[in-house]
Amino acid sequence: MLNYYQTVNISTAAGYIADTSIFVIYTGGTIGMDYDKEGKHLKPFDFQQIIDKVPELRRFEFELTLLSFDKPIDSSDIKVHQWLNIARVVYDFYNDYDAFVILHGTDTMAYTASALSFLFDNLAKPVILTGAQLPIGVPRTDARENFITALEIAATKRKNGLPMVPEVCIFFDTLLLRGNRARKVQSNNFTAFASENLPPLAVTGIEISYNESLILPHPEERFDIFSKMDENVGLLKIFPGISQKYLEHFLSTPDLRGIVMETYGSGNTPTDDWFIGALKEAVDSGIHILNVSQCNGGAVVPGMYESGRRLQEIGVISGGDITPEAAITKMMFLLGNEPDPQLIREQLGISLRGEMSLR
Ligand code: ASP
């Protein structure tokens, strides 16, 4: 749970004259860890002491407020209710701050970023997630760079005074990626995230160069959040040798409402009658099946091969070039908020928050 009252104002060079304010939410992950006294095990440190670890924060000219999870977590423990809580906190503080930075473990950062992108409606301010491969307390850490640059990106405005990136993004190493396009692709080098199907929204070097034509437009409508997600979903990865027993067991999961099916290449699966038949039965019973590719780059192209054509015929929906992380969170979001099954089907096949390329 998030403790609403544990916010800490960090004293920066801005004093009372800051014209930019950033709200930082610390959820846990390697970024906030340090070695215990014996120097053996990594433990979360009290993030209120962040200024001791990153004294550079004092030099920023903007106001920084920090809110921490009561109990920082390894992001492999994140749950749907915590996504809803984070969305709620952003909503509650939305009018008081110019931007939000979320410090998060890398393991599920792409899921959290995707989930938040769907939960926010008409987001007009930056929400930048970042983390680190090495704890902030170790000398070679990437945490300081990532955190400081994420803050700088969050604070950047266009000439007309509007925020540069009114989107949920992941900043890591040198890349600013759309959150619902990013995947964790490396567990031991600093370039941990990639977005094969959409170029970075910005690349950092001596300067930060933004790819403005890719950034989502600034919405006109009022910001709001959705407060539900349905967890009755499943992820089915196809592999050679998948058995009828396995598939039928999976499909008979009680209350299952939506499946993200990770298929080969441009959306292909086995064509055995028992396989297609079992999927057809599931679709006919009202389960939504979204076809996404196991490849990092490229897209599902329905009907390109015989197997894809058969899936299309039985009502499997093409997810185009969506990532599995965005697909599963989009499914939870639509099932939680859209009562009409026909509209769920339609919205699974189109881009809602820039998560798929327009076709
Ligand atoms: N297991 C950690 C987490 O996701 C890894 C990291 O932060 O990089 O919380």
Side-chain angles (χ1 to χ4, degrees):
M1 278 293 282
L2 287 170
N3 181 341
Y4 274 56
Y5 306 100
Q6 251 194 13
T7 56
V8 184
N9 281 306
I10 297 173
S11 67
T12 61
Y16 293 105
I17 47 141
D19 59 6
T20 304
S21 54
I22 301 181
F23 195 80
V24 179
I25 302 172
Y26 169 58
T27 68
T30 301
I31 189 166
M33 306 225 177
D34 205 351
Y35 283 98
D36 59 12
K37 287 197 189 98
E38 293 78 46
K40 282 193 188 141
H41 301 290
L42 283 171
K43 281 180 38 183
F45 73 90
D46 179 0
F47 218 76
Q48 298 182 18
Q49 293 154 13
I50 181 69
I51 204 87
D52 302 335
K53 308 270 181 200
V54 194
E56 297 90 332
L57 292 177
R58 286 213 177 84
R59 294 171 37 199
F60 276 115
E61 293 282 332
F62 33 76
E63 183 194 328
L64 280 182
T65 303
L66 180 85
L67 177 145
S68 169
F69 266 33
D70 283 356
K71 268 181 101 194
I73 55 163
D74 187 303
S75 78
S76 47
D77 258 330
I78 197 116
K79 307 286 187 300
V80 168
H81 73 264
Q82 283 156 326
W83 292 338
L84 299 174
N85 277 339
I86 296 171
R88 179 74 213 189
V89 170
V90 171
Y91 180 81
D92 286 349
F93 290 92
Y94 192 77
N95 292 328
D96 303 329
Y97 290 84
D98 296 306
F100 297 81
V101 169
I102 301 176
L103 301 171
H104 196 287
T106 56
D107 287 347
T108 59
M109 193 186 291
Y111 290 90
T112 299
S114 298
L116 292 176
S117 77
F118 296 115
L119 291 172
F120 296 147
D121 196 20
N122 297 312
L123 180 69
K125 297 187 177 184
V127 176
I128 315 289
L129 284 91
T130 194
Q133 293 285 57
L134 280 177
I136 210 160
V138 308
R140 285 184 56 248
T141 185
D142 52 336
R144 244 172 271 135
E145 291 271 334
N146 286 348
F147 186 25
I148 288 171
T149 311
L151 289 170
E152 223 171 297
I153 291 171
T156 303
K157 293 185 181 146
R158 294 176 185 224
K159 286 197 192 91
N160 60 8
L162 293 174
M164 177 59 90
V165 207
E167 297 200 27
V168 179
C169 297
I170 289 181
F171 175 73
F172 219 89
D173 192 26
T174 58
L175 304 177
L176 181 72
L177 306 173
R178 177 166 300 152
N180 57 29
R181 292 299 197 120
R183 306 200 75 188
K184 183 173 177 180
V185 292
Q186 263 293 340
S187 59
N188 58 4
N189 96 32
F190 288 138
T191 316
F193 289 86
S195 154
E196 282 275 344
N197 286 323
L198 187 78
L201 303 183
V203 179
T204 66
I206 290 175
E207 291 187 347
I208 302 179
S209 20
Y210 291 92
N211 198 339
E212 287 190 43
S213 64
L214 290 178
I215 297 172
L216 292 176
H218 199 274
E220 301 292 329
E221 315 278 304
R222 207 178 137 265
F223 174 67
D224 207 347
I225 53 166
F226 291 88
S227 53
K228 285 195 206 129
M229 288 187 112
D230 189 332
E231 291 165 59
N232 289 307
V233 298
L235 190 58
L236 176 67
K237 185 164 182 161
I238 303 303
F239 55 94
I242 187 169
S243 73
Q244 188 165 359
K245 257 192 274 176
Y246 178 88
L247 183 66
E248 286 175 358
H249 187 72
F250 176 89
L251 293 174
S252 61
T253 306
D255 304 321
L256 189 62
R257 295 185 63 208
I259 297 168
V260 171
M261 182 167 68
E262 275 194 45
T263 59
Y264 308 129
S266 45
N268 305 310
T269 61
T271 51
D272 307 78
D273 287 342
W274 63 261
F275 182 86
I276 301 290
L279 293 187
K280 181 173 185 317
E281 212 175 287
V283 173
D284 292 347
S285 75
I287 296 176
H288 301 280
I289 306 184
L290 186 63
N291 186 359
V292 307
S293 176
Q294 291 177 14
C295 299
N296 274 344
V300 166
V301 185
M304 181 160 168
Y305 293 91
E306 167 65 7
S307 104
R309 188 186 61 73
R310 292 192 67 187
L311 296 174
Q312 200 181 14
E313 267 172 18
I314 61 167
V316 170
I317 304 151
S318 165
D321 62 355
I322 197 169
T323 63
E325 292 86 342
I328 199 83
T329 52
K330 183 176 182 177
M331 186 69 88
M332 291 179 180
F333 163 72
L334 286 173
L335 292 175
N337 296 286
E338 177 53 69
D340 181 344
Q342 185 49 36
L343 288 180
I344 294 178
R345 289 183 59 76
E346 278 172 33
Q347 292 184 63
L348 282 171
I350 58 170
S351 171
L352 302 178
R353 305 280 193 268
E355 74 279 12
M356 290 162 70
S357 303
L358 295 175
R359 279 167 293 146

